């Protein structure tokens, strides 16, 4: 796996992917999209990894599509083809990984950078982070899954307002609107994210992953279908080591030792 534009580290069952094109506030060029996809694939394949953190190096999380590369691309690649071959594959990879993904939003998340932040399962933001749908400033519509994800999190009026004003939304407002899970002091972000990661990495990973599958699928299902689907998924969870261990630990009044299986 090449890591020219990202860093990839695994420690204590937690994989940390750091977007690392600091001079552009971690704008996504094609190489960074591909390397981030590969990093998520690696994190998904490695059984020792039981939680993933996505963050940015420097003062930005990600400023979205690299606009210099976008201008050059437009001559020979269709935008829709670029989205399908790049961001869509990255987001699909993130949704497919049945392990919790924590976005540690260290600075500005703009354009497709916000889309990738929203595709994380949980988000912790530094106090100084801002969220911005930059697209309308350059005559584009939101993409990278934002039209689907954002109105579900914060409601249509706020999502549409963010889209057509392209105003920056503070971390505190993002928290109040339900876009993120927690705001912490800037200097506490990395350790808070690692501590969440370690906590999830010692949990019942199979159940965490199946929960992600059931909840994401339920967005698309009617209630009856969702009930049926969760019953089938629970059947899988109920056959796991961690279910047996969890019940035994409860009855024996001791902490469980989950293996993730
Ligand atoms: O084909 C497809 O797939 C289409 C998909 C499109 C998806 C999209 O993401 S479209 C939206 C793209 N993103 C933007 O429009 C945001 C552009 N950036 C900004 O508006 C601002 O940089 C920020 C609000 C994010 C941050 O502002 P500020 O003042 O903190 O920083 P800055 O000075 O503007 O940026 C710092 C440097 O990063 C600067 O370079 P310099 O002058 O120091 O050499 C700036 O040019 C560079 N930079 C920031 N964003 C991008 C970028 N370079 C390339 N692409 C960027 N997106």
């Amino acid at each position: 796996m090449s890591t020219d534009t990202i860093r990839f580290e695994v420690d204590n069952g937690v994989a940390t992917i750091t977007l690392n094109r600091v001079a552009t506030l971690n704008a996504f060029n094609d190489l960074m999209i591909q390397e981030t996809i590969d990093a998520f694939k690696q994190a998904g394949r490695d059984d020792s990894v039981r939680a993933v953190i996505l963050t940015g190096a420097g003062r930005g999380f990600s400023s979205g599509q690299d606009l210099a590369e976008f201008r050059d691309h437009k001559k020979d690649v269709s935008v829709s083809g670029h989205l399908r071959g790049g961001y869509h594959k990255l987001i699909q990879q993130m949704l497919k990984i049945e392990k919790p993904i924590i976005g540690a939003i260290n600075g500005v998340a703009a354009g497709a950078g916000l889309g990738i932040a929203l595709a994380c399962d949980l988000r912790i933001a530094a106090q100084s982070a801002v969220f911005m749908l930059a697209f309308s400033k350059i005559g584009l519509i939101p993409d990278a899954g934002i039209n689907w994800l954002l109105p579900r999190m914060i409601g249509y009026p706020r999502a549409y307002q963010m889209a057509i004003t392209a105003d920056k939304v503070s971390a505190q407002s993002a928290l109040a609107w339900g876009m993120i899970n927690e705001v912490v002091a800037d200097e506490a972000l990395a350790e808070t994210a690692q501590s969440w990661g370690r906590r999830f990495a010692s949990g019942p990973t199979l159940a965490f992953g199946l929960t992600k599958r059931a909840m994401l699928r339920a967005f698309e299902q009617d209630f009856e279908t969702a009930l049926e689907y969760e019953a089938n998924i629970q059947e899988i969870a109920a056959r796991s080591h961690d279910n047996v261990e969890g019940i035994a630990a409860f009855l024996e009044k001791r902490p469980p030792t989950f293996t993730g299986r």
Side-chain angles (χ1 to χ4, degrees):
M1 188 179 71
S2 71
T3 52
D4 290 345
T5 62
I6 62 159
R7 295 199 304 262
F8 182 79
E9 288 131 342
V10 179
D11 187 35
N12 279 318
V14 182
T16 302
I17 302 168
T18 307
L19 306 173
N20 192 21
R21 298 188 70 232
V22 172
T24 60
L25 302 177
N26 306 319
F28 278 96
N29 63 3
D30 284 357
L31 183 60
M32 193 165 89
I33 295 174
Q34 191 53 54
E35 289 187 341
T36 312
I37 293 171
D38 292 343
F40 275 111
K41 274 190 189 154
Q42 173 68 24
R45 271 195 299 258
D46 183 345
D47 286 343
S48 75
V49 170
R50 291 165 64 187
V52 185
I53 294 170
L54 179 66
T55 193
R59 70 178 178 89
F61 174 75
S62 170
S63 59
Q65 170 63 34
D66 185 308
L67 291 177
E69 197 176 88
F70 180 67
R71 181 197 52 206
D72 298 342
H73 267 153
K74 277 184 77 182
K75 296 176 201 132
D76 21 62
V77 188
S78 77
V79 173
S80 60
H82 188 250
L83 285 167
R84 290 187 193 105
Y87 293 107
H88 293 193
K89 288 199 160 51
L90 171 53
I91 291 162
Q92 283 155 356
Q93 188 60 44
M94 292 170 75
L95 299 186
K96 201 157 67 179
I97 289 184
E98 298 205 327
K99 303 173 183 182
I101 302 174
I102 302 157
I105 316 301
N106 53 301
V108 65
L114 178 50
I116 300 308
L118 298 180
C120 297
D121 301 304
L122 305 153
R123 279 158 295 285
I124 311 169
Q127 180 79 38
S128 67
V130 290
F131 300 83
M132 181 186 179
L133 292 184
F135 303 88
S136 65
K137 281 198 160 186
I138 54 168
L140 291 180
I141 72 154
D143 58 24
I146 290 167
N147 295 305
W148 195 87
L149 286 166
L150 192 60
R152 283 175 164 78
M153 291 178 192
I154 66 174
Y156 171 68
R158 283 174 170 148
Y160 189 63
Q161 183 184 3
M162 278 186 75
I164 66 169
T165 63
D167 286 344
K168 289 177 181 162
V169 171
S170 69
Q172 279 303 340
S173 295
L175 180 66
W177 292 1
M179 201 193 303
I180 61 177
N181 298 77
E182 190 165 320
V183 179
V184 297
D186 290 9
E187 58 279 11
L189 180 69
E191 180 42 37
T192 306
Q194 289 295 331
S195 138
W196 283 34
R198 286 192 298 271
R199 176 179 174 180
F200 299 141
S202 60
T205 310
L206 179 73
F208 289 168
L210 293 173
T211 304
K212 176 168 172 175
R213 195 195 300 181
M215 286 192 175
L216 289 175
R217 191 64 70 92
F219 277 135
E220 304 302 319
Q221 295 167 327
D222 61 45
F223 190 51
E224 284 300 318
T225 311
L227 278 176
E228 188 53 30
Y229 191 74
E230 74 183 14
N232 290 329
I233 296 286
Q234 190 69 296
E235 196 68 52
I236 302 171
R239 287 192 205 130
S240 67
H241 162 277
D242 286 346
N243 177 238
V244 175
E245 166 63 6
I247 293 171
F250 176 78
L251 295 175
E252 292 160 22
K253 301 191 187 303
R254 61 171 173 82
T257 304
F258 290 127
T259 62
R261 291 162 212 266

